């Protein structure tokens, strides 16, 4: 019978299996270079999001070191097309306060100045910390959102003090000056002093001395406004002010989804580790070969992680280009918040990237040394055989 010898057939089969193993190892290496940076990013995001201490630090950085809060308030405090309060504002003020005519004109810079006057930093820091630890307990099923409360008494006290007066002044100074035509149209007879409701209804600021009367007309509305604000509220009140059962179900669904997300962030580093192990199984037969296979992967992955950390703001800007036109304030809020999160992640990512890069270089040096040693031994063996 004709045909190839069994040894030749076995050799060809081994070659095919070897090529397949080599291709699979290369694919695993390519996948590792892509998934390692992503896995480290996911794990770091999970640490910030699901560790209450890290979350508290990140939220404090966003609140105190970025413009996210004043820009967010600029977007939130806005009127609907018919000039009434928007939904979010109506939760705070059942009726439109006179001061709202000033509030809606505030830009981020003015909001920052108002917050500096009214919001005690210590109280706000406590709110952030209570929120972070309360969310962690809620996520573990050990607490409820109603257990996270926010005390507004200090804020109300500040509003009734000279600080509140300065905050009203900041808003008042945003009003454009009235023109003679506006004064005539709004107030009519200039020989009589305008009434308080007329002063509050002006869309502009009167010239002196009338401007001071107009300013104090706004200032005198503050006590009534403060009296209508509750002394405290809970996180449950903020997320579900109407106690809607469907919203409760949505919050429970969100808790389940967050639980899965937390588990995935903790398991994310296992994927690149599994790919490295697959390369070891598929095509590595010695420590030197292991070092040679792993070194470029760790070098490339480490460099990508370091580039991501250093270029975090540009990457964030590129990602936010997906926000539709007309939502510039939303884009800016996301950028400010994202920059705060990125600042919290930058050093851990740089350290991990540098460790991967150095480890890759060390493995490359080991592989090169082992190769030289092997060549020297082979040369010495040939020399002995020749003798």
């Amino acid at each position: 019978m004709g045909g190839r010898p069994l040894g030749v057939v076995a050799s060809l089969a081994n070659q095919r299996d070897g090529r397949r193993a080599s291709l699979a190892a290369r694919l695993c290496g390519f996948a590792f270079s892509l998934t390692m940076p992503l896995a480290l990013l996911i794990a770091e995001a999970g640490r910030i999001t699901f560790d209450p201490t890290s979350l508290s630090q990140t939220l404090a950085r966003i609140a105190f070191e970025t413009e996210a809060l004043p820009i967010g308030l600029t977007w939130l405090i806005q009127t609907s097309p018919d000039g009434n309060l928007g939904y979010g504002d109506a939760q705070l003020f059942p009726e439109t306060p006179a001061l709202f005519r000033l509030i809606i004109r505030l830009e981020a810079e003015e909001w920052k100045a108002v917050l500096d006057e009214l919001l005690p930093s210590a109280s706000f820091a406590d709110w952030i910390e209570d929120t972070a630890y309360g969310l962690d307990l809620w996520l573990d099923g050990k607490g409820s959102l109603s257990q996270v409360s926010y005390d507004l008494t200090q804020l109300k006290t500040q509003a009734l003090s000279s600080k509140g007066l300065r905050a009203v002044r900041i808003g008042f100074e945003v009003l454009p000056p009235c023109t003679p035509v506006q004064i005539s149209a709004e107030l009519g007879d200039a020989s009589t002093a305008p009434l308080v409701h007329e002063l509050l209804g002006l869309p502009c600021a009167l010239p002196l001395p009338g401007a001071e009367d107009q300013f104090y007309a706004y200032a005198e509305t503050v006590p009534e406004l403060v009296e209508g604000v509750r002394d405290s509220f809970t996180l449950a009140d903020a997320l579900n002010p109407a106690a809607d059962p469907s919203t409760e179900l949505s919050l429970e669904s969100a808790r389940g989804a967050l639980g899965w997300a937390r588990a995935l962030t903790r398991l994310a580093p296992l994927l690149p580790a599994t790919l490295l192990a697959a390369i070891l199984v598929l095509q590595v037969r010695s420590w030197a070969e292991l070092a040679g296979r792993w070194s470029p992967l760790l070098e490339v992955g480490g460099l990508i992680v370091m580039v991501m950390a250093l270029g975090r703001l540009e990457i964030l800007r590129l990602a936010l280009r997906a926000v539709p036109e007309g939502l510039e304030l939303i884009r800016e809020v996301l950028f400010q918040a994202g920059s705060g999160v990125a600042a919290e992640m930058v050093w851990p990512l740089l350290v991990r990237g540098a460790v991967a890069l150095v480890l890759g270089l060390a493995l490359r040096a080991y592989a090169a040394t082992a190769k030289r040693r092997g060549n020297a031994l082979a040369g010495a063996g040939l020399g002995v055989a020749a003798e």
Side-chain angles (χ1 to χ4, degrees), residues 58-70 124 128:
T58 304
L59 291 176
R61 183 188 290 272
I62 293 172
F64 296 117
E65 299 180 19
T66 75
E67 302 296 318
L69 189 56
F124 195 42
I128 290 173

Side-chain angles (χ1 to χ4, degrees), residues 60-373:
R61 183 188 290 272
I62 293 172
F64 296 117
E65 299 180 19
T66 75
E67 302 296 318
L69 189 56
I71 294 174
L73 285 170
T74 305
W75 167 74
L76 178 65
I77 306 294
Q78 54 184 308
T79 54
S80 58
D82 60 0
N84 295 320
L85 285 170
Y87 171 77
D89 312 315
Q91 299 303 317
L92 299 174
F93 310 111
E95 296 181 2
T96 304
L99 282 172
F100 195 76
R101 298 185 184 91
L102 306 182
I103 292 173
I104 60 174
R105 296 177 179 273
L106 297 180
E107 298 294 337
E109 185 177 349
E110 288 86 24
W111 266 117
K112 188 175 187 304
V114 169
L115 291 173
D116 287 342
E117 294 290 349
L118 295 181
L119 195 59
S121 297
S123 295
F124 195 42
D126 289 341
W127 293 353
I128 290 173
E129 186 173 352
D130 291 345
T131 301
Y133 282 91
L135 284 173
D136 185 61
L137 291 174
W138 171 72
L139 192 58
D140 288 334
K142 299 176 181 177
S144 66
L145 296 177
S146 59
Q147 291 176 310
V148 184
S149 62
Y150 307 96
D151 185 2
L152 299 178
T153 53
Q154 280 190 298
L155 177 61
K156 293 172 69 173
T157 302
Q158 297 274 72
L160 294 174
S161 69
S162 59
K163 290 180 176 290
L165 203 61
R166 288 198 292 270
V168 175
R169 177 72 71 179
I170 292 168
F172 183 73
E173 290 177 351
V174 175
L175 284 176
C178 291
T179 64
V181 174
Q182 285 177 308
I183 295 174
S184 177
E186 297 286 343
L187 301 181
D189 186 7
S191 62
T192 59
L195 300 176
V196 171
H197 76 272
E198 292 177 322
L199 291 173
L200 295 177
L202 285 173
C204 52
L206 291 171
L208 291 171
E212 284 304 295
D213 293 334
Q214 188 181 6
F215 164 71
Y216 281 106
Y218 276 109
E220 287 169 1
T221 68
V222 172
E224 183 181 358
L225 177 63
V226 170
E227 187 179 352
V229 176
R230 65 182 75 177
D231 289 337
S232 64
F233 69 98
T234 68
L235 188 55
D237 296 330
L239 296 177
N240 188 13
D244 185 356
S246 62
T247 304
E248 287 291 337
L249 290 175
S250 298
L251 289 172
E252 285 301 312
S253 299
R255 178 165 66 173
L258 287 171
W260 280 105
R262 178 171 61 178
L264 289 175
T265 60
R266 291 174 177 174
L267 295 174
L270 290 179
L271 177 57
T274 302
L275 291 171
L276 282 180
I279 295 171
L280 173 63
V281 171
L282 287 168
Q283 212 180 19
V284 172
R285 290 173 295 275
S286 68
W287 288 111
E289 189 173 357
L290 172 67
R293 292 287 183 182
W294 281 9
S295 61
L297 305 178
L298 290 170
E299 290 165 358
V300 171
L303 282 173
I304 292 175
V305 171
M306 294 177 72
V307 169
M308 285 170 49
L310 294 173
R312 60 195 182 279
L313 296 183
E314 292 305 318
I315 294 172
L316 185 59
R317 286 192 181 94
L318 288 173
L320 290 178
R321 286 184 180 179
V323 177
E325 292 296 327
L327 298 177
E328 285 76 13
L329 277 177
I330 297 293
R331 183 187 296 119
E332 187 60 25
V333 169
L334 291 174
F335 176 77
Q336 292 292 334
S339 64
V341 173
E344 196 69 25
M345 295 170 66
V346 59
W347 282 111
L349 286 177
L350 277 176
V351 169
R352 287 167 174 77
V355 168
L357 177 60
V358 170
L359 181 58
L361 292 173
L363 289 176
R364 181 180 293 275
Y366 172 78
T369 302
K371 185 177 180 179
R372 286 196 299 269
R373 187 179 301 152

